[in-house]
Amino acid sequence: MRIGVDIGGMSVKIGLVERQGIVSREVIKTDSDGQTPYELIEKIADAVELLLHKNMLTAGACDGLGIACPGTVDAESGTVTYSNNIGWENVPILGLLQQRFNILMALANDADAAALGEVICGAAKGKNSAVLLTLGTGVGGGVILNKKIFSGFLRGGCELGHMVIERNGKECTCGRKGCLEMYASATALMNRARELTEKNPNTLLHKMTGGILSDIDGKIIFEAAKKGDALANEVVDRYLEDLSIGIANIINIFRPEIIILGGGVSAQKKYLTDQLQKRVDKMCFGGVHGEIPSIVTSVLGNDAGIIGAAYLAGM
Ligand SMILES: [Zn+2]
């Protein structure tokens, strides 16, 4: 048995994990006002103890405890260097948890942990390599090579969402212009649809939302596209083209066995992956002479981070 902890902006999810997945879980809220990182870590430790107790286990009986956390982490020292989502800076989380549990521990970025989770028992089960792209508020990424997380050798590597796909394109939060994240995130998809719907009131997308632009979300855009709405199809087509460029670039660099898409947009499953695969196949280096990985959607969803975290220690 292993323990996985996935820290997010709203909640911390804790699970007891075996090869086939999560066998028992706890959730605690993160958003208490004025809570210091140290108070939250105490709560996490208490919740881990409670979960173990409920399952009649001790920490000593487990093979490892792993933490997945958004932002930049220093895995070697077990420190969360900077996380905007949870407002942490230089928090030595593993050192603090080691005062409570005498067990093998490890720390990783949450997208990296989710990618590992998919390799353990999700969409990339049985594979040695995979790249996970999460298409949500932003575009996150995790790279697995030889069943291990690869995040570069210096801190801040493998930021797949920040590869430029359009020179002098849209301004990104990272300071550059034209990053993949500005075109392939769910936010980017919605923004573009809202922008065009405002200018074109005689569309299905406009009718479906009663003209309330804030009601246009990813699901409605794809729904309107499937129903044949020209504007929604234009938005989806541009989105798929931009995302394909990013995926083909990733394939050309890593050539993993599989590309997994997670995050809100991945709910479109085969509708999304079939169209992407067709486009990406034509863009990859080597054409038919190169091996092209399949593009699939995440199997584990929000559980991937917990499962990956659990398998960080002692891998
Ligand atoms: Zn960027």
Side-chain angles (χ1 to χ4, degrees), residues 11 17 24 41 45 55 62 86 129 135 163 183 199 215 271-272 303:
S11 64
V17 178
S24 185
I41 291 167
N55 287 274
C62 296
I86 51 172
S129 60
L135 312 169
M163 70 166 81
Y183 300 87
K199 288 183 203 150
D215 279 1
Y271 182 78
L272 179 75
D303 286 349

Short mmCIF file of all heavy atoms in Angstrom, two decimals, residues 11 17 24 41 45 55 62 86 129 135 163 183 199 215 271-272 303:
data_model
loop_
_atom_site.label_atom_id
_atom_site.label_comp_id
_atom_site.label_asym_id
_atom_site.label_seq_id
_atom_site.Cartn_x
_atom_site.Cartn_y
_atom_site.Cartn_z
N SER A 11 -8.82 22.05 -2.70
CA SER A 11 -8.83 20.95 -1.74
C SER A 11 -7.55 20.12 -1.83
O SER A 11 -6.81 20.22 -2.80
CB SER A 11 -10.03 20.03 -2.01
OG SER A 11 -9.89 19.44 -3.28
N VAL A 17 -3.30 3.92 -2.04
CA VAL A 17 -3.22 3.50 -3.45
C VAL A 17 -2.53 2.14 -3.59
O VAL A 17 -1.52 1.87 -2.94
CB VAL A 17 -2.44 4.57 -4.26
CG1 VAL A 17 -2.29 4.15 -5.71
CG2 VAL A 17 -3.13 5.94 -4.17
N SER A 24 -8.96 3.83 -0.87
CA SER A 24 -9.66 4.57 0.18
C SER A 24 -9.20 6.02 0.12
O SER A 24 -8.05 6.28 -0.24
CB SER A 24 -9.31 3.96 1.54
OG SER A 24 -10.04 4.57 2.56
N ILE A 41 -0.28 21.81 6.36
CA ILE A 41 0.52 20.57 6.36
C ILE A 41 0.18 19.73 7.60
O ILE A 41 0.07 18.51 7.51
CB ILE A 41 2.03 20.89 6.27
CG1 ILE A 41 2.33 21.46 4.87
CG2 ILE A 41 2.88 19.65 6.53
CD1 ILE A 41 3.69 22.11 4.72
N ALA A 45 -1.31 15.96 7.52
CA ALA A 45 -0.75 14.85 8.31
C ALA A 45 -1.86 14.20 9.14
O ALA A 45 -1.93 12.96 9.22
CB ALA A 45 0.37 15.36 9.20
N ASN A 55 -8.40 2.43 7.92
CA ASN A 55 -8.09 1.22 7.16
C ASN A 55 -7.23 0.23 7.95
O ASN A 55 -6.64 -0.68 7.38
CB ASN A 55 -7.41 1.59 5.83
CG ASN A 55 -8.39 2.20 4.85
OD1 ASN A 55 -9.07 1.51 4.12
ND2 ASN A 55 -8.51 3.52 4.88
N CYS A 62 3.27 1.05 5.03
CA CYS A 62 3.13 1.51 3.65
C CYS A 62 4.50 1.66 2.98
O CYS A 62 5.51 1.87 3.65
CB CYS A 62 2.41 2.86 3.61
SG CYS A 62 0.72 2.73 4.20
N ILE A 86 -1.62 28.00 -4.53
CA ILE A 86 -1.89 27.82 -3.10
C ILE A 86 -1.15 28.86 -2.26
O ILE A 86 -1.24 28.85 -1.04
CB ILE A 86 -1.54 26.37 -2.65
CG1 ILE A 86 -0.14 25.97 -3.08
CG2 ILE A 86 -2.54 25.38 -3.23
CD1 ILE A 86 0.33 24.64 -2.50
N SER A 129 6.79 5.19 -21.71
CA SER A 129 6.88 6.63 -21.93
C SER A 129 5.51 7.19 -22.28
O SER A 129 4.68 6.51 -22.89
CB SER A 129 7.84 6.90 -23.07
OG SER A 129 7.37 6.27 -24.25
N LEU A 135 -5.53 20.27 -20.60
CA LEU A 135 -6.14 21.40 -21.28
C LEU A 135 -7.24 21.96 -20.38
O LEU A 135 -8.39 21.56 -20.45
CB LEU A 135 -6.73 20.94 -22.62
CG LEU A 135 -5.79 20.07 -23.47
CD1 LEU A 135 -6.54 19.44 -24.63
CD2 LEU A 135 -4.61 20.90 -23.97
N MET A 163 5.61 26.62 -24.96
CA MET A 163 6.33 26.62 -26.23
C MET A 163 5.59 27.59 -27.15
O MET A 163 4.35 27.62 -27.17
CB MET A 163 6.38 25.23 -26.87
CG MET A 163 5.04 24.77 -27.37
SD MET A 163 5.18 23.36 -28.44
CE MET A 163 5.31 22.06 -27.27
N TYR A 183 -3.51 29.41 -26.78
CA TYR A 183 -4.33 28.92 -27.89
C TYR A 183 -5.03 27.59 -27.59
O TYR A 183 -6.07 27.29 -28.16
CB TYR A 183 -3.47 28.76 -29.15
CG TYR A 183 -2.83 30.06 -29.57
CD1 TYR A 183 -1.61 30.46 -29.04
CD2 TYR A 183 -3.50 30.91 -30.45
CE1 TYR A 183 -1.05 31.69 -29.38
CE2 TYR A 183 -2.94 32.13 -30.80
CZ TYR A 183 -1.72 32.51 -30.26
OH TYR A 183 -1.18 33.72 -30.60
N LYS A 199 -19.62 39.26 -32.00
CA LYS A 199 -19.64 39.93 -33.32
C LYS A 199 -20.65 39.31 -34.28
O LYS A 199 -21.00 39.91 -35.28
CB LYS A 199 -18.25 39.84 -33.96
CG LYS A 199 -17.21 40.72 -33.30
CD LYS A 199 -15.89 40.62 -34.07
CE LYS A 199 -14.73 40.99 -33.18
NZ LYS A 199 -13.51 40.26 -33.55
N ASP A 215 -21.91 32.43 -20.53
CA ASP A 215 -22.42 31.05 -20.49
C ASP A 215 -21.76 30.14 -21.52
O ASP A 215 -22.00 28.93 -21.55
CB ASP A 215 -23.94 31.04 -20.74
CG ASP A 215 -24.72 31.38 -19.47
OD1 ASP A 215 -24.05 31.63 -18.44
OD2 ASP A 215 -25.96 31.40 -19.51
N TYR A 271 -14.12 12.46 -30.19
CA TYR A 271 -14.42 13.57 -31.09
C TYR A 271 -13.19 14.46 -31.21
O TYR A 271 -12.88 14.98 -32.28
CB TYR A 271 -15.62 14.37 -30.55
CG TYR A 271 -16.03 15.53 -31.45
CD1 TYR A 271 -16.77 15.30 -32.59
CD2 TYR A 271 -15.64 16.83 -31.15
CE1 TYR A 271 -17.13 16.35 -33.43
CE2 TYR A 271 -16.00 17.88 -31.98
CZ TYR A 271 -16.74 17.64 -33.12
OH TYR A 271 -17.09 18.67 -33.94
N LEU A 272 -12.50 14.62 -30.10
CA LEU A 272 -11.30 15.44 -30.05
C LEU A 272 -10.09 14.69 -30.61
O LEU A 272 -9.39 15.18 -31.51
CB LEU A 272 -11.05 15.83 -28.59
CG LEU A 272 -9.83 16.68 -28.25
CD1 LEU A 272 -10.08 18.12 -28.67
CD2 LEU A 272 -9.56 16.64 -26.74
N ASP A 303 -8.11 11.62 -10.43
CA ASP A 303 -7.41 10.67 -9.56
C ASP A 303 -5.95 10.46 -9.97
O ASP A 303 -5.16 9.91 -9.21
CB ASP A 303 -8.11 9.30 -9.58
CG ASP A 303 -9.41 9.32 -8.79
OD1 ASP A 303 -9.64 10.32 -8.06
OD2 ASP A 303 -10.19 8.36 -8.90
#
